[in-house]
C-alpha cells in the first residue's frame, strides 16, 4: 500500500508540472488550425473587398488577421468580426468549417440585397449573430431557429421580412434581440417572445407594429404568459411603430433602464406609474399625441434618470418654480410642450446638462443670467420659436457646439462663440450692429451660419477664410451694404449662399466660381450691377438661382444652359435685354414630371441630431407666384419655377419651353416679346401658373393651352392676341382680366366674336341634328302642300269648264286636231328635205 507521504509527493509533482505547463503555454504563440485558415481564405474569395480591409488575410497565422479571434487554449477561431468595412459579394458556406465559432459579426457591410444564407442556421455553436445594416433582403430563414445557443441576435436595418416568427420561440437563451425596420405588421411578435425568459434588451424600432396591447393586466391576451419575461427587461425600444391607445402601466417592469415609445400614436396623458420605475435612465415619449398635465409626481422615484424627451406632444408642464428634481439630467427635450410662460427655474438644478431643447415651448420671458453660466458641459442649446428676450454674453469660453436661438426677441450684438462651434442659428431676432467681430475667431468646424431677419448692418466682413468648412451662409433680410466679399471664394464646401433683401452693390465676385459645390444662390432684392457672369454656367450643381430685383443688365448668357439640375431660375426685375436662349430642353429636372424633392434636405435641416424635425426657418426664400409674392420655407424643395419677368427681353418665345413638362410656374411678363405663343405649350402638363402679360405677342391662343388641366393662374393680358379663345373648361374658368387689352381677342369669357349667332347654339350635337332635320321637314312640307293645291285648282279649273260648257269642249278638240295636222305636215316636209340633201 502506497504511503500517504508518497501520495503527497506525487500530488505536489503533478501540480508543479501543471503550473509549469500553464506558465509555458502562456508564452507559446497561438497558431490557427490549417483547416480553419483555408475556410477563412475561401470565405474571403467570395467577398469584394474594395477598401482592402482584409489585406492581412494572407499570412500563415490567421489568428493575427483583421477581425479574427482565436482561443488561447484550443487555437480554434471563436470570433469573426468584420463589420463596417463595406464588404460586398456573397457569404460562402466555408463558414460551416469554423466549428468553434461563437461570435459572428458581418454588420455595416453591403451584400447587395442577397438573402441571409440558410446554412447559417446550421452553425448551432453560435452565441452571438449580428447581420445588421448590411443590405440583406428577402425572407428571414426560419432555420435561424436552430441556433438554440444564441444569446444575441441583430438583424436590424435591412430589407428583411418574415411570414411568421414561430422560429423565434426556440431561441430560449436570447438576452438581446433587435429586429428593427423589419415589417412585423402581420405577426404577433410579442406573443412569440413569451418564451424568451432571459430577454433583457428588445429593439423593435420602425417595425410597423400596428395594434399591440401593451399591458400586464391578467385579462390581457397579448402579454399575459410574457409577464415574467418582461419583468426582466432592461431595454424596451419600440419607436416609430403604429402603437395607439393609452400608455400602459409599466410598474411590473421594474428592471427597465431604457424606455423608448417615441413616434407612435399614443393618446391620453402620461400615467403616474412612470414615476415608479426607479431604475429608469432613459425615457423617450416624443412625437406622439399625448396631452394633459405633467407634474412632479411623474418623476417621484426617477433618481437615475439622465435623458428626458417629451417633445412634440401637447403636454403642459405644471411644475412648481421651487421644485427640486430627484434626478440629474444630461439631456432635456421639451420642444413643443407648454413649458412657459416663464423660463423653468428647475432646469437650473441640472448642472450636468449637455443638451437643452425648449423649441416652441411657449416661453415669453427674459433669458435668465444663469442660463449662460450654470451648465459648464453644455454642448447644444436650442430655444427657437419662443418669445425670449435679453442679450447674449460672450460665450467663447463655453463648450457649445450647436446654438439655435432663432425667432425670438434677443437683441444687442452678435455674441462671440467658441472656436469649435458647428452650427450658429440666430435668425429672426433683433440683433443689430456689425458682424465684423466674427473675424476675431478661427471657426475651424463651423458648417452653418444663419443670421437672417435681424437688424444687422455695415459691410459683410471679408474674412471667410477663417471658416473653411462653411456649408451654408444665410445673411438675408438685414441692412448689409457694400460689395459681396471675394473671400467667399475660399469656401470650397459652400453649398448655400443666401443674401437677399439687403443693400449690397457691385458685381458678383469672380472668385465665387471656385465654389463648385454651390447649388443655391439667392442674392435677390439688392442693388447688384453688371452682367450675369458667364462662369455661372460652370456651377454644374446649381439648383436654385435667384437674381430677382437687382440692376443687372446685358443678355442672359448662353452658358446658363449648362445648369441641367436647375429647379428655380429667377432673373426677374432687372434690366436684361436681347433674346431668351432657346435651351430649356437642357434642364432635366424641369423636364421631369416627377414630384420628388430633388433638393438636398441637409442644406437647411440641422446635421446635428438635435431638433431636426422642428425648425422650419432654414429654407427661406421669396418668389412671385400667381401674381403675388410669397415666402417659401420647408416646402422650397418642391418648387419648380422660371421667372424672367420685368426686363427688356425681345424676340420670340423659345420653342424649347414646352420641353419643361414638370415646370409649375412660368413668368415672362412685362418684356418686349413678339410672335406667337408656341403651339405645343400644352405639353407643360404640370403648369400651375402662366404669366405672359404685357408683351407684344400676336396670333391666336393655341388650342393645346386648354389641355393643361393643372392650370390655376393665367394672365395673357396686354398683348396683341386675336381670334377666338379656344373652347375648354380650363380657359373659360378664368376672369376677363386674364385676356384683357387684346383688341382682336373674343369669345367666352370676353364678348362674343362677330360671326357668332345671336341665337344661343344648341346644347349638344344631338339637339343640333334634330333642329336641322326639323327645319328641313318644315320646308318640304310647305312645298308639297303648295304643289297639291296648284294641281287641284289647275286640273279642276280646266276639266270642270269642259264638263259645264259643250261649245268649249268642241272648240278645244277642234284646236287639238288642227295642232296635230300642223305638226304632221311639218314633220313630213322636214323628212323630205333631209332625204334630198
Amino acid at each position: 500500500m502506497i504511503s500517504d507521504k508518497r501520495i503527497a509527493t506525487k500530488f505536489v509533482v503533478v501540480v508543479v508540472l501543471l503550473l509549469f505547463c500553464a506558465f509555458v503555454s502562456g508564452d507559446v504563440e497561438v497558431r490557427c488550425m490549417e483547416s480553419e485558415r483555408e475556410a477563412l481564405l475561401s470565405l474571403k474569395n467570395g467577398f469584394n473587398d474594395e477598401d482592402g480591409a482584409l489585406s492581412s488575410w494572407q499570412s500563415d497565422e490567421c489568428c493575427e488577421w483583421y477581425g479574427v479571434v482565436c482561443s488561447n487554449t484550443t487555437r480554434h477561431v471563436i470570433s469573426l468580426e468584420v463589420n463596417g468595412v463595406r464588404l460586398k459579394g456573397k457569404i460562402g458556406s466555408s463558414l460551416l468549417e469554423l466549428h468553434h465559432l461563437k461570435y459572428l459579426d458581418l454588420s455595416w457591410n453591403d451584400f447587395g440585397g442577397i438573402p441571409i444564407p440558410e446554412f447559417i442556421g446550421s452553425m448551432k455553436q453560435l452565441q452571438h449573430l449580428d447581420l445588421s445594416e448590411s443590405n440583406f433582403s428577402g425572407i428571414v430563414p426560419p432555420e435561424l431557429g436552430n441556433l438554440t445557443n444564441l444569446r444575441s441576435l441583430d438583424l436590424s436595418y435591412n430589407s428583411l421580412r418574415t411570414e411568421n416568427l414561430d422560429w423565434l420561440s426556440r431561441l430560449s437563451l436570447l438576452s438581446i434581440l433587435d429586429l428593427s425596420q423589419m415589417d412585423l405588421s402581420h405577426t404577433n411578435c410579442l406573443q412569440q417572445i413569451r418564451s424568451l425568459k432571459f430577454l433583457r434588451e428588445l429593439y423593435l424600432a420602425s417595425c410597423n407594429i400596428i395594434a399591440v396591447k401593451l399591458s400586464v393586466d391578467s385579462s390581457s391576451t397579448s402579454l399575459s404568459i410574457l409577464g415574467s419575461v418582461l419583468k426582466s427587461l432592461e431595454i424596451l425600444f419600440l419607436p416609430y411603430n403604429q402603437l395607439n391607445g393609452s400608455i400602459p402601466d409599466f410598474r411590473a417592469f421594474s428592471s427597465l433602464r431604457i424606455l423608448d415609445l417615441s413616434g407612435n400614436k399614443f393618446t391620453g396623458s402620461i400615467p403616474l406609474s412612470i414615476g415608479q420605475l426607479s431604475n429608469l435612465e432613459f425615457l423617450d415619449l416624443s412625437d406622439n399625441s399625448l396631452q394633459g398635465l405633467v407634474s412632479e409626481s411623474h418623476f417621484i422615484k426617477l433618481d437615475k434618470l439622465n435623458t428626458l424627451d417629451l417633445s412634440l406632444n401637447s403636454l403642459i408642464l405644471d411644475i412648481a418654480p421651487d421644485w427640486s428634481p430627484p434626478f440629474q439630467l444630461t439631456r432635456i427635450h421639451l420642444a413643443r410642450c407648454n413649458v412657459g410662460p416663464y423660463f423653468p427655474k428647475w432646469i437650473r438644478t441640472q448642472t450636468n446638462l449637455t443638451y437643452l431643447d425648449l423649441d416652441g415651448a411657449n416661453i415669453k420671458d427674459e433669458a435668465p443670467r444663469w442660463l449662460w453660466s450654470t451648465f459648464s458641459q453644455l454642448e447644444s442649446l436650442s430655444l427657437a420659436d419662443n418669445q425670449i428676450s435679453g442679450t447674449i454674453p460672450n460665450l467663447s469660453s463655453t463648450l457649445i457646439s450647436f446654438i439655435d436661438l432663432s425667432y425670438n426677441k434677443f437683441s444687442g450684438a452678435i455674441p462671440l462663440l467658441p472656436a469649435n462651434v458647428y452650427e450658429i442659428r440666430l435668425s429672426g431676432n433683433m440683433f443689430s450692429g456689425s458682424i465684423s467681430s466674427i473675424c476675431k475667431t478661427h471657426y475651424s468646424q463651423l458648417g452653418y451660419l444663419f443670421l437672417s431677419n435681424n437688424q444687422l448692418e455695415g459691410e459683410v466682413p471679408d474674412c471667410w477664410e477663417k471658416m473653411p468648412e462653411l456649408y451654408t451662409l444665410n445673411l438675408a433680410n438685414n441692412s448689409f451694404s457694400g460689395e459681396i466679399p471675394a473671400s467667399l471664394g475660399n469656401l470650397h464646401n459652400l453649398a448655400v449662399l443666401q443674401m437677399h433683401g439687403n443693400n449690397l452693390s457691385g458685381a458678383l465676385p469672380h472668385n465665387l466660381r471656385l465654389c463648385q459645390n454651390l447649388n443655391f444662390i439667392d442674392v435677390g432684392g439688392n442693388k447688384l450691377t453688371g452682367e450675369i457672369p458667364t462662369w455661372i454656367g460652370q456651377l454644374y450643381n446649381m439648383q436654385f438661382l435667384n437674381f430677382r430685383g437687382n440692376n443687372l443688365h446685358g443678355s442672359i448668357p448662353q452658358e446658363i444652359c449648362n445648369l441641367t439640375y436647375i429647379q428655380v431660375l429667377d432673373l426677374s426685375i432687372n434690366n436684361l435685354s436681347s433674346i431668351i436662349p432657346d435651351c430649356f430642353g437642357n434642364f432635366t429636372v424641369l423636364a421631369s414630371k416627377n414630384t420628388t424633392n430633388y433638393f438636398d434636405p441637409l442644406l437647411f435641416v440641422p446635421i446635428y441630431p438635435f431638433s431636426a424635425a422642428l425648425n422650419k426657418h432654414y429654407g427661406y426664400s421669396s418668389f412671385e407666384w400667381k401674381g403675388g409674392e410669397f415666402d417659401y420655407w420647408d416646402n422650397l424643395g418642391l418648387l419648380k419655377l422660371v421667372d424672367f419677368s420685368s426686363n427688356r427681353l425681345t424676340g420670340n418665345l423659345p420653342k424649347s419651353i414646352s420641353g419643361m413638362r414638370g415646370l409649375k410656374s412660368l413668368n415672362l411678363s412685362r418684356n418686349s416679346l413678339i410672335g406667337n405663343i408656341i403651339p405645343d405649350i400644352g405639353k407643360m402638363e404640370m403648369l400651375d401658373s402662366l404669366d405672359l402679360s404685357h408683351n407684344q405677342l400676336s396670333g391666336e391662343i393655341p388650342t393645346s393651352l386648354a389641355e393643361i388641366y393643372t392650370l390655376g393662374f393665367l394672365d395673357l393680358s396686354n398683348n396683341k392676341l386675336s381670334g377666338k379663345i379656344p373652347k375648354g373648361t380650363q380657359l373659360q374658368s378664368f376672369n376677363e382680366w386674364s385676356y384683357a387689352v387684346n383688341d382682336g381677342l373674343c369669345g367666352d369669357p370676353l364678348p362674343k366674336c362677330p360671326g357668332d349667332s345671336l341665337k344661343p347654339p344648341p346644347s349638344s350635337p344631338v339637339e343640333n341634328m334634330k333642329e336641322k332635320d326639323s327645319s328641313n321637314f318644315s320646308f318640304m312640307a310647305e312645298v308639297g302642300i303648295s304643289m297639291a293645291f296648284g294641281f287641284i285648282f289647275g286640273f279642276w279649273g280646266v276639266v270642270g269648264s269642259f264638263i259645264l260648257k259643250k261649245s268649249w269642249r268642241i272648240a278645244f278638240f277642234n284646236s287639238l286636231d288642227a295642232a296635230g295636222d300642223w305638226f304632221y305636215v311639218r314633220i313630213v316636209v322636214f323628212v323630205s328635205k333631209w332625204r334630198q340633201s
Side-chain angles (χ1 to χ4, degrees):
M1 187 172 182
I2 302 176
S3 65
D4 293 340
K5 183 176 181 181
R6 192 173 178 182
I7 293 175
T9 302
K10 287 186 176 182
F11 176 78
V12 171
V13 172
V14 171
V15 171
V16 170
L17 287 173
L18 289 174
L19 289 175
F20 175 78
C21 291
F23 175 77
V24 172
S25 64
D27 293 334
V28 173
E29 183 180 3
V30 177
R31 299 185 62 85
C32 72
M33 297 290 184
E34 183 61 25
S35 60
E36 296 180 346
R37 179 180 181 277
E38 293 299 324
L40 289 172
L41 287 177
S42 178
L43 182 67
K44 178 187 176 183
N45 290 335
F47 291 150
N48 181 0
D49 183 18
E50 295 179 350
D51 295 339
L54 305 184
S55 58
S56 63
W57 286 31
Q58 53 186 354
S59 65
D60 292 335
E61 185 44 72
C62 67
C63 293
E64 295 178 354
W65 292 355
Y66 172 79
V68 178
V69 177
C70 297
S71 169
N72 288 334
T73 57
T74 67
R75 300 189 302 166
H76 290 295
V77 175
I78 59 173
S79 176
L80 182 59
E81 184 176 356
V82 283
N83 57 9
V85 292
R86 298 198 302 174
L87 290 178
K88 298 180 180 180
K90 63 178 182 178
I91 304 172
S93 58
S94 60
L95 267 178
L96 294 175
E97 301 301 320
L98 305 178
H99 300 291
H100 300 271
L101 191 67
K102 295 181 179 180
Y103 190 103
L104 177 60
D105 185 352
L106 299 177
S107 63
W108 289 75
N109 287 294
D110 183 4
F111 291 107
I114 65 173
I116 294 176
E118 295 180 1
F119 66 77
I120 290 182
S122 301
M123 304 176 69
K124 297 183 179 181
Q125 76 282 3
L126 279 182
Q127 295 182 5
H128 304 278
L129 177 60
D130 190 347
L131 302 178
S132 62
E133 298 196 49
S134 289
N135 195 9
F136 288 106
S137 65
I139 297 177
V140 178
E143 288 81 0
L144 294 185
N146 297 328
L147 305 180
T148 54
N149 285 308
L150 274 186
R151 270 67 169 178
S152 68
L153 174 62
D154 191 345
L155 305 178
S156 63
Y157 301 103
N158 286 289
S159 300
L160 297 168
R161 62 185 189 277
T162 181
E163 297 176 349
N164 60 68
L165 287 176
D166 294 343
W167 55 270
L168 188 62
S169 60
R170 303 202 300 271
L171 307 181
S172 59
L173 298 181
L174 271 184
S175 62
I176 300 174
L177 175 63
D178 194 343
L179 302 180
S180 295
Q181 205 169 302
M182 186 187 300
D183 188 359
L184 302 178
S185 58
H186 301 296
T187 67
N188 191 349
C189 55
L190 295 185
Q191 186 72 15
Q192 304 301 329
I193 294 171
R194 61 185 179 181
S195 60
L196 308 181
K197 58 182 178 181
F198 297 108
L199 196 64
R200 292 186 296 106
E201 302 179 15
L202 177 60
Y203 302 89
L204 298 176
S206 303
C207 289
N208 200 24
I209 303 174
I210 297 176
V212 174
K213 184 177 179 183
L214 290 179
S215 173
V216 291
D217 184 78
S218 58
S219 62
S220 169
T221 57
S222 337
L223 294 178
S224 57
I225 310 175
L226 274 183
S228 59
V229 176
L230 292 181
K231 286 181 180 178
S232 65
L233 271 183
E234 297 180 13
I235 298 177
L236 182 57
F237 196 74
L238 297 172
Y240 294 94
N241 284 288
Q242 304 293 323
L243 302 175
N244 51 40
S246 301
I247 293 180
D249 187 336
F250 279 99
R251 279 178 295 185
F253 314 132
S254 57
S255 300
L256 274 181
R257 294 187 297 107
I258 295 177
L259 176 59
D260 191 340
L261 302 177
S262 62
N264 281 285
K265 298 181 178 180
F266 286 113
T267 56
S269 59
I270 298 176
L272 291 174
S273 59
I274 289 286
Q276 302 297 316
L277 301 177
S278 57
N279 290 308
L280 202 61
E281 301 171 8
F282 181 102
L283 176 61
D284 190 348
L285 304 178
S286 65
D287 199 7
N288 278 284
S289 298
L290 300 172
Q291 55 188 354
L293 298 179
V294 177
S295 66
E296 298 94 328
S297 301
H298 286 90
F299 310 103
I300 191 167
K301 291 185 179 181
L302 305 187
D303 57 302
K304 295 180 181 178
L305 195 67
N306 59 53
T307 297
L308 174 64
D309 194 343
L310 304 179
S311 57
L312 296 176
N313 284 292
S314 299
L315 297 168
I316 301 173
L317 266 72
D318 185 21
I319 294 177
D322 58 349
W323 180 52
S324 180
F327 45 66
Q328 274 292 322
L329 299 176
T330 58
R331 303 175 69 112
I332 298 177
H333 300 270
L334 297 174
R336 299 297 186 264
C337 294
N338 193 343
V339 176
Y342 302 109
F343 204 96
K345 293 183 179 180
W346 63 268
I347 291 180
R348 186 177 186 179
T349 65
Q350 306 301 295
T351 56
N352 295 331
L353 270 184
T354 57
Y355 287 77
L356 177 58
D357 181 2
L358 297 176
D359 281 0
N362 195 31
I363 300 175
K364 304 176 182 179
D365 194 9
E366 183 174 355
R369 293 184 178 180
W370 52 261
L371 177 63
W372 315 111
S373 58
T374 301
F375 313 113
S376 60
Q377 303 177 55
L378 192 65
E379 299 177 12
S380 290
L381 175 64
S382 189
L383 306 175
D385 293 310
N386 286 287
Q387 297 183 45
I388 303 174
S389 59
T391 58
I392 305 175
N394 185 339
L395 300 177
S396 59
S397 61
T398 67
L399 298 178
I400 293 177
S401 57
F402 176 95
I403 184 168
D404 189 352
L405 307 180
S406 305
Y407 295 89
N408 280 286
K409 295 183 177 180
F410 288 105
S411 58
I414 297 293
L416 290 175
L417 289 160
N420 67 332
V421 67
Y422 185 73
E423 298 186 28
I424 301 174
R425 302 180 181 271
L426 303 178
S427 297
N429 282 283
M430 296 183 290
F431 292 110
S432 58
S434 170
I435 62 170
S436 58
S437 60
I438 66 173
C439 296
K440 296 180 180 179
T441 306
H442 184 83
Y443 296 102
S444 59
Q445 301 182 53
L446 185 60
Y448 297 83
L449 178 58
F450 291 84
L451 301 177
S452 64
N453 296 82
N454 280 290
Q455 300 169 14
L456 302 170
E457 57 188 2
E459 293 189 351
V460 178
D462 195 10
C463 60
W464 299 102
E465 68 278 357
K466 293 192 173 184
M467 307 176 193
E469 299 299 320
L470 199 62
Y471 188 70
T472 298
L473 174 62
N474 191 341
L475 304 179
N477 294 330
N478 283 287
S479 298
F480 291 114
S481 57
E483 297 187 353
I484 297 176
S487 61
L488 285 173
N490 296 320
L491 303 177
H492 295 168
N493 293 326
L494 189 65
V496 176
L497 178 62
Q498 291 181 281
M499 308 184 83
H500 66 261
N502 284 287
N503 294 311
L504 300 172
S505 58
L508 283 175
H510 190 63
N511 282 0
L512 210 57
R513 78 188 193 285
L514 302 176
C515 302
Q516 285 295 302
N517 290 321
L518 266 174
N519 56 17
F520 192 113
I521 296 180
D522 186 352
V523 291
N526 282 287
K527 300 177 181 178
L528 299 179
T529 56
E531 298 185 358
I532 297 176
T534 57
W535 53 258
I536 207 77
Q538 300 174 18
L539 303 178
Y540 301 112
N541 294 314
M542 189 61 61
Q543 294 175 271
F544 289 76
L545 187 61
N546 186 3
F547 289 159
R548 172 184 173 85
N550 282 284
N551 296 316
L552 301 175
H553 65 271
S555 62
I556 300 174
Q558 187 71 24
E559 288 78 5
I560 210 165
C561 302
N562 298 331
L563 306 181
T564 57
Y565 295 112
I566 200 69
Q567 190 168 330
V568 169
L569 181 58
D570 193 342
L571 310 179
S572 63
I573 317 178
N574 280 285
N575 294 313
L576 301 174
S577 56
S578 190
I579 64 172
I580 301 174
D582 194 1
C583 61
F584 291 98
N586 293 7
F587 302 152
T588 55
V589 172
L590 295 181
S592 171
K593 294 190 296 181
N594 195 331
T595 56
T596 302
N597 186 348
Y598 292 93
F599 193 47
D600 183 358
L602 298 183
L603 298 179
F604 294 119
V605 177
I607 297 294
Y608 227 85
F610 188 77
S611 299
L614 306 181
N615 295 303
K616 62 181 181 181
H617 304 299
Y618 303 131
Y620 168 79
S621 212
S622 177
F623 298 100
E624 183 171 330
W625 180 269
K626 296 187 177 182
E629 189 164 328
F630 293 90
D631 297 338
Y632 285 82
W633 302 88
D634 53 339
N635 56 349
L636 183 61
L638 298 175
L639 189 60
K640 291 183 178 181
L641 174 147
V642 171
D643 191 344
F644 294 170
S645 64
S646 299
N647 281 288
R648 294 184 289 132
L649 300 172
T650 59
N652 296 320
L653 292 179
K655 294 181 179 179
S656 60
I657 283 179
S658 62
M660 297 187 292
R661 302 181 67 180
L663 191 70
K664 295 185 178 180
S665 177
L666 175 63
N667 191 347
L668 302 178
S669 66
R670 301 182 184 277
N671 282 288
S672 299
L673 301 173
I674 60 173
N676 298 336
I677 299 176
I678 54 175
D680 57 352
I681 194 170
K683 291 182 178 179
M684 305 173 73
E685 304 172 44
M686 306 294 290
L687 203 62
D688 186 23
S689 176
L690 175 63
D691 193 345
L692 302 177
S693 65
H694 293 86
N695 281 288
Q696 299 179 39
L697 299 173
S698 58
E700 297 184 350
I701 298 175
T703 56
S704 66
L705 189 61
E707 300 172 2
I708 306 179
Y709 301 111
T710 59
L711 201 61
F713 174 86
L714 176 67
D715 192 352
L716 302 178
S717 65
N718 292 275
N719 279 287
K720 297 180 180 180
L721 299 172
S722 60
K724 190 172 183 179
I725 297 173
K727 289 290 184 182
T729 306
Q730 203 66 22
L731 297 186
Q732 273 65 51
S733 66
F734 298 109
N735 295 325
E736 294 182 6
W737 62 262
S738 295
Y739 308 98
V741 196
N742 285 281
D743 293 338
L745 207 58
C746 60
D748 193 19
L750 297 179
K752 295 180 175 60
C753 296
D756 290 347
S757 172
L758 295 178
K759 181 180 178 180
S763 57
S764 71
V766 174
E767 292 182 10
N768 188 38
M769 187 177 297
K770 287 181 178 179
E771 181 178 344
K772 184 177 179 181
D773 292 345
S774 175
S775 45
N776 286 340
F777 174 78
S778 299
F779 174 76
M780 295 304 295
E782 292 173 1
V783 171
I785 292 171
S786 300
M787 291 177 64
F789 276 108
F791 174 81
I792 292 171
F793 283 114
F795 177 83
W796 288 110
V798 174
V799 173
S801 300
F802 290 164
I803 295 173
L804 295 175
K805 292 283 277 184
K806 183 178 180 180
S807 59
W808 284 16
R809 291 198 303 272
I810 295 172
F812 174 77
F813 288 111
N814 287 336
S815 298
L816 190 62
D817 289 338
D821 293 340
W822 184 84
F823 274 108
Y824 175 77
V825 171
R826 283 288 182 185
I827 291 171
V828 170
V829 173
F830 175 78
V831 172
S832 177
K833 288 182 177 180
W834 177 73
R835 286 178 176 176
Q836 291 176 1
S837 64

